[in-house]
Structures are given as structure tokens and as C-alpha cells.
Amino acid sequence: EIKSLLSLHGGQFSGEQEIHVNSPFWILNIPSEEMARGLMKRTVCAKSIFELWGHGRSAGELYASLKNYPVDKMLPYLQSDSTYKIHIHTFNKTLTQAQKIKKIDALEFLPFKGKVNLKKPEHIFWILEDYGMDPNNVPEEPFHLYFGRWVHGQRELIESYSVKKRHFIGNTSMDACLSFIMANHGRVKPNDVVYDPFVGTGGLLISSAHFGAYVCGTDIDYNTIHGLGKATRKNQKWRGPDENIRANLRQYGLEKYYLDALVSDSSRPIWRKGMLFDAIITDPPYGIREATRRTGSQKETVKTAERSTENHIFVSSSYHLSDIFFDLLKFAAEYLVMGGRLVYWLPIYRPEYTEEIIPRHPCLQLISNCEQMLSSHTSRRLITMEKVKEFKDQDQNSYLLDGQYMPYRGHNSFREKYFSGVTKRIAKEEKDNQK
């Protein structure tokens, strides 16, 4: 998420720091404080951002680093008419109050001229100490220390968009936190057009609209699109007349960004040819709570299709999980603008998972692959891909196998067998959980 936002707002990871996945502290190079605040207004994964004044692997290195920091950059925040306080945060260790005071007193060489105000200070400075990730093996001294000025923090976004308070929800409405992470992976920005081909109750549209994008979606379920049928909320039997996707966006003051939601089969695109969408952000159906269906019977023949009239309603048939992802990638390759992103969830069975399972397309480059654990054996991966090549006719039916793009052969595909097993395992675990 941070990498995506840095590429959107400007900035990069510091060249002097190796990125440690397990470290809670990252050093970034950001051109301005304004950009840093812009990043923090969007991020879900980061808690705070600081202007780094010094850091080191020991207290001595930290103090030496602080003494080398330009005084002219410090002085605006250390004036005699200002107020400040120093806060200490230790990751994976708890310090006594006496230990904290001792560490604060050791910073007396800094030219603080203002007055201490613990309740409403103008400037807040933090000492950050990293004691690693192993709670059973906490070192005496931290692995790394940082000191800096607090710039911005953001934790209210998720609470204000909580699904518990949402007007229109379904069985699998996306958690607000994950929804915003997906929008950030998609680098959604003002005036983008964002599309969800499995829109459901529109939870993923809300986060994109919050960032100023125009949103639309499709779903094969007529009742969900129109807000009809049985309610999924506790103690409510039927959905009300105003329970729909538009009402959700209206609830958050985002209705002006709502384009439309249409009843449509994602395996049969309804859009005109051409690059239409800046981002495609979706959660394809899987498990027992969301049926994987598409129009047309498996026994349907070409002859039947030729006889069908404009008013004919096709019966629905099973939609294999491997076909869902193949169709999704093909659609994204054709309808995304250049540089546009596809963000979606991929269910996996962990004991059998390999990188080869991730669907690929010659027009799309894999940007990130993040795992969310569901159980000891199952999880889902948030896949982010970016369009890097113009879509051509020869890319119509291609998938990656052993490093080469081959014609897709439907249910003989090696992925079809894998995802068929994943679907059964997830469904079994959901049934066991319900029991």
C-alpha cells in the first residue's frame, strides 16, 4: 500500500535502508511535508509519519546523528514562544516511567527553548525504539532508534466507514479497512473511473468514491443490484425500499461520484471496445456465501443461441473459478487504460500454493501479491496488476504456463483443477464454521 501511494504522491524508499518486511518502521524520501500529509490522509496500514531528525543502531549513534542534523531545520519548532512535548514509543517492549524520563533527559543537548505542554503542545517529538518482532526473545537494547517531529497521523477513516453502520450490506460486504487498502493499491485518484465487475452491495465503490473517483459496477444478481429480496442484517427479514448502492454512497455524501450499477454477466462484457477504466477493483465470488454463476446452460449449443430472441432469458450455469479469473484478466487487459491497475482477491489452499497458480496475462504486469490468512490451510491473496501493453487480438485467449503464454484450453487448464479444489475446501471450512 505504501509503495503504491508513494508512486502516486511522489517519493520513494530511502536508499540507505534495506526494507525489512518485519520492521514496523520505514524510512521514506518524500519531497515535501504537504505530500507526506497527503499520503497519511489515504493510508490504512501506517499509523503516523514523522520528519526524521536522527536515527542509529544505538543511543550513541542516535545522538551523533541528531548533532549532525541542520540546526536551521530544527529552529522553527524550538522557538521560545512555542510549546512541545516528547513522546516515547517502544515496539515489543514496555519501559517504566523512570526509564522514559531518563531517555528524554538525555536529549538535553538539543536547543529546545519553548515550554513543555503535555496536553496541547504545538509540536510533538517522538523517540521510536525497535526491539524486534519476537515477544519471547526481547533484547536488552533496541535494534534501531529514531527521533523525529510528528507530522500527521490517521486512524479515523476506517471507523467512519464501518460496515456495521452502513445502510445497505450483504453476506460478503468488504471490510472498510480492506476496501481502502484495495483502492490505494489501485492508485485511485480524483476523476478516475473505477469499475467493479462483481459489485454486490458496492462496498468497494465507496472507498474509491471517497478518493474522488467516479464509480460503477455490474453484477449478475438482479435482486442485489436493485436492493430486493431477503435482508442479511440481523433482526430484519426483507430489504427496505431505499436499500441499494446509491443509498450507501448518499449516506457518505458521495452520491455525485456514482455512475450506475447494471445487471450483467461478467463473462459476457457489455461495454463498447476501447480503454474505459482507470482501475478495476473487485472481489470475485467464491465459497458457499456467494454463488459463482453466469448466463447460459452448459448444454447450450450454437444452434440454440442462433434461435434465441432478444427477449430470451438464459438460464444460469456454474462458473468455474479458473474461468472467472481468466475472464477477469482478459477484460482488464482490454478495458483498462495504459498504466491502469487491476486489484482483486485470489483464494488459495496454502499447502499446495505456488507462484505458478497466480493467473497471468501478457498485457498485465504483477505489481504485488499480499496474503490474508483465513485459516491454517486457506487464505486469500490481494493481487495487484498494472497494464503495461496494448491489447491485441492475439492476446485474446492467452495465459502463462512454464514461463510462456499459451492458448487457454478451458477446463483442461492446470489452474482449473487447483481452483476447483480450493472452492471445495473453502466451502467445507465455511460449513464447519457455521456448525
Side-chain angles (χ1 to χ4, degrees), residues 148-389:
R149 178 178 64 89
W150 182 84
V151 174
H152 200 277
Q154 191 278 106
R155 302 301 288 175
E156 297 80 26
L157 184 63
I158 306 308
E159 182 61 29
S160 60
Y161 283 91
S162 172
V163 175
K164 295 178 182 179
K165 303 175 184 176
R166 193 165 298 166
H167 190 66
F168 178 46
I169 61 171
N171 286 327
T172 56
S173 291
M174 183 63 67
D175 173 75
C177 176
L178 296 176
S179 178
F180 278 99
I181 288 175
M182 292 177 75
N184 285 334
H185 274 244
R187 297 195 300 189
V188 175
K189 58 187 183 297
N191 298 321
D192 277 356
V193 177
V194 178
Y195 172 65
D196 182 354
F198 304 97
V199 70
T201 56
L204 295 178
L205 302 186
I206 294 172
S207 55
S208 295
H210 173 83
F211 295 134
Y214 293 94
V215 295
C216 59
T218 58
D219 201 288
I220 198 171
D221 191 330
Y222 181 95
N223 286 344
T224 300
I225 289 292
H226 291 279
L228 304 174
K230 291 184 178 181
T232 56
R233 199 183 301 274
K234 189 177 180 181
N235 300 324
Q236 181 181 341
K237 190 172 183 181
W238 302 100
R239 286 173 174 152
D242 61 339
E243 287 190 52
N244 51 54
I245 297 173
R246 183 184 292 274
N248 274 351
L249 289 156
R250 186 185 304 122
Q251 177 183 352
Y252 300 112
L254 303 172
E255 188 178 0
K256 65 180 180 179
Y257 297 113
Y258 180 58
L259 297 177
D260 210 344
L262 311 173
V263 179
S264 169
D265 178 2
S266 63
S267 69
R268 302 167 182 258
I270 59 174
W271 307 97
R272 64 174 173 82
K273 299 295 182 182
M275 298 180 289
L276 302 176
F277 306 114
D278 297 284
I280 297 173
I281 300 175
T282 190
D283 181 27
Y286 45 85
I288 61 175
R289 292 182 296 170
E290 290 291 341
T292 54
R293 311 295 293 175
R294 64 177 169 185
T295 56
S297 168
Q298 289 180 327
K299 297 180 180 179
E300 178 185 334
T301 62
V302 176
K303 190 173 182 180
T304 306
E306 290 174 353
R307 288 203 311 266
S308 65
T309 64
E310 191 173 333
N311 295 324
H312 178 68
I313 300 176
F314 284 98
V315 296
S316 64
S317 65
S318 180
Y319 196 7
H320 290 275
L321 207 56
S322 59
D323 289 336
I324 290 177
F325 296 122
F326 171 72
D327 290 340
L328 178 61
L329 264 66
K330 183 172 68 172
F331 180 87
E334 186 170 2
Y335 289 94
L336 276 176
V337 300
M338 285 297 294
R341 288 193 170 186
L342 165 66
V343 185
Y344 70 96
W345 288 101
L346 179 75
I348 65 159
Y349 181 62
R350 301 185 77 239
E352 297 177 4
Y353 169 76
T354 65
E355 287 284 335
E356 286 185 340
I357 296 302
I358 301 173
R360 303 293 181 95
H361 192 281
C363 296
L364 303 173
Q365 178 183 346
L366 181 65
I367 300 297
S368 69
N369 172 10
C370 310
E371 184 179 27
Q372 182 196 21
M373 295 283 291
L374 300 177
S375 72
S376 59
H377 290 87
T378 59
S379 66
R380 58 180 180 176
R381 289 183 171 266
L382 183 59
I383 306 298
T384 303
M385 310 185 87
E386 186 172 312
K387 185 172 179 178
V388 294
K389 175 187 170 186

Side-chain angles (χ1 to χ4, degrees), residues 40-57:
M40 285 307 302
K41 287 178 180 178
R42 291 195 52 152
T43 180
V44 174
C45 298
K47 289 185 177 181
S48 291
I49 195 164
F50 308 87
E51 181 184 59
L52 185 63
W53 287 13
H55 65 102
R57 297 185 180 276

